[in-house]
């Protein structure tokens, strides 16, 4: 009897994390999905059969307790994160920057540290971290998010160097524009009209499912194949500042 491999997915209560849970379940993984909102997690568990646990990644002790309750972890998808605020550097609230650093960088650090012993102990581990194209390019109003994502990228690249010689892959998936239910809404403090305007006229921004497909792709490659960094954007976005708004595909 083959035992299914265990994948932990953070930020599983919505967007890319929930899509990744759905996608990796199809590949036969035994999933443990974590986030803070239990109602959403329970609905995902009912739908997919995934195990779920409420967890605030910024609480290191809680993350350590969570890890102590696991017997195995073959794949870790560090997905939880987000952007808060879109003000200029001159006008930004330092608390927003602190929150972005806490969840995108320290949250990823806490989970990675806590699960590393299990990832090292198995037949071969994989850590996939969802950063962003903002991890390498800056843009107006994106200073705090970009700073956090640059730092998350630094964590990933450093970890790959430090784990060289061990059978643990370290992969970064860096998406451009992805239309998820809550990302822009959280960034723009619940302003639905401004959030909708982000995607206005863009013919098919990436979806959460598109990014989940990329995660499944890099995880599914043979264990000796390490995709260092996969940058994925919608066809309409040739670069951070080069976004085509208007029809792209024939109906
Ligand atoms: N959407 C985009 O355009 C885009 C582009 C590039 C990269 N990304 C990155 O992709 C990842 C997912 O984005 P998304 O669009 O799917 O965002 P989303 O829909 O806002 O989902 C974010 C997830 O992170 C979880 N989370 C936030 N703070 C947490 C905490 N302290 N502890 C545990 N979980 C926490 C949220 O769950 P709870 O609130 O239930 O805790 C939620 O499940 C993020 O790292 C984001 O920066 C997004």
């Amino acid at each position: 009897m083959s035992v299914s491999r265990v994948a932990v997915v953070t930020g599983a209560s919505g967007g890319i994390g929930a899509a990744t849970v759905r996608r990796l379940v199809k590949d036969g993984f035994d999933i443990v999905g974590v986030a803070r909102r239990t109602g959403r997690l329970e609905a995902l568990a009912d739908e997919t059969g995934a195990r779920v646990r409420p967890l605030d990644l910024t609480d290191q002790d809680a993350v350590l307790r969570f890890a102590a309750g696991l017997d195995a972890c073959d794949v870790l998808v560090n997905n939880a994160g987000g952007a808060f605020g879109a003000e200029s550097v001159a006008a930004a609230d330092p608390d927003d920057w602190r929150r972005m650093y806490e969840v995108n960088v320290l949250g990823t650090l806490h989970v990675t540290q806590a699960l590393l012993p299990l990832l090292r102990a198995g037949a071969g581990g994989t850590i996939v971290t969802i950063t962003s194209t903002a991890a390498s390019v800056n843009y107006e109003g994106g200073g705090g998010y970009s700073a956090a994502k640059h730092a998350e990228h630094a964590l990933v690249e450093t970890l790959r160097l430090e784990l060289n010689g061990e059978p643990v892959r370290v992969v970064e998936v860096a998406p451009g524009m992805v239309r998820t239910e809550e990302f822009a809404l959280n960034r723009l403090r619940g302003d639905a009209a401004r959030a909708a305007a982000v995607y206005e006229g863009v013919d098919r921004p990436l979806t959460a499912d598109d990014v989940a497909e990329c995660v499944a792709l890099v995880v599914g490659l043979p264990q000796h194949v390490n995709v260092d960094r996969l940058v994925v954007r919608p066809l309409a976005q040739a670069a951070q500042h080069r976004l085509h708004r208007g029809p792209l595909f024939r109906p």
Side-chain angles (χ1 to χ4, degrees):
M1 191 184 79
S2 73
V3 180
S4 40
R5 295 194 304 148
V6 175
V8 172
V9 179
T10 72
S13 62
I16 294 167
T20 300
V21 170
R22 292 189 184 97
R23 182 61 189 77
L24 293 184
V25 159
K26 281 191 195 158
D27 284 350
F29 280 94
D30 170 9
I31 310 271
V32 187
V34 302
R36 292 166 303 177
R37 288 171 295 174
T38 47
R40 281 171 163 259
L41 288 176
E42 279 158 16
L44 186 70
D46 289 346
E47 177 198 329
T48 62
R51 291 185 274 158
V52 292
R53 300 282 181 276
L55 185 63
D56 183 343
L57 303 184
T58 64
D59 180 344
Q60 188 184 17
D61 290 340
V63 172
L64 289 170
R65 282 195 300 276
F66 160 73
L70 292 180
D71 295 328
C73 177
D74 303 287
V75 173
L76 165 61
V77 183
N78 283 317
N79 161 76
F84 311 114
E87 290 78 18
S88 64
V89 170
D93 181 344
D95 279 340
D96 285 333
W97 285 48
R98 217 167 271 124
R99 277 177 71 204
M100 287 189 273
Y101 197 86
E102 286 214 345
V103 63
N104 291 287
V105 188
L106 297 181
T108 296
L109 176 67
H110 294 157
V111 184
T112 303
Q113 286 182 330
L115 293 181
L116 209 42
L118 290 175
L119 286 154
R120 283 173 152 151
T126 303
I127 302 168
V128 181
T129 302
I130 313 294
T131 62
S132 169
T133 49
S136 49
V137 182
N138 302 301
Y139 52 96
E140 305 87 334
Y145 181 60
S146 203
K149 287 299 189 184
H150 273 69
E152 196 178 19
H153 163 72
L155 183 162
V156 172
E157 205 164 84
T158 307
L159 183 67
R160 188 180 307 115
L161 294 168
E162 291 170 352
L163 293 185
N164 182 237
E166 299 189 48
V168 180
R169 297 184 292 183
V170 181
V171 179
E172 176 179 357
V173 173
M177 176 181 268
V178 190
R179 186 169 200 160
T180 55
E181 213 182 309
E182 297 184 297
F183 179 83
L185 210 53
N186 285 337
R187 173 173 235 171
L188 299 166
R189 310 186 198 289
D191 186 332
R194 277 184 76 201
V198 170
Y199 310 102
E200 200 173 324
V202 179
D203 195 348
R204 301 181 214 184
L206 293 180
T207 64
D209 289 342
D210 294 329
V211 181
E213 197 60 42
C214 293
V215 174
L217 172 77
V218 298
V219 169
L221 290 167
Q223 190 65 26
H224 69 283
V225 181
N226 193 105
V227 175
D228 287 2
R229 187 179 217 197
L230 192 160
V231 177
V232 54
R233 303 179 200 268
L235 184 60
Q237 187 182 34
Q240 200 82 20
H241 281 86
R242 188 82 176 129
L243 180 67
H244 175 76
R245 294 187 194 265
L248 191 61
F249 295 97
R250 286 189 203 93

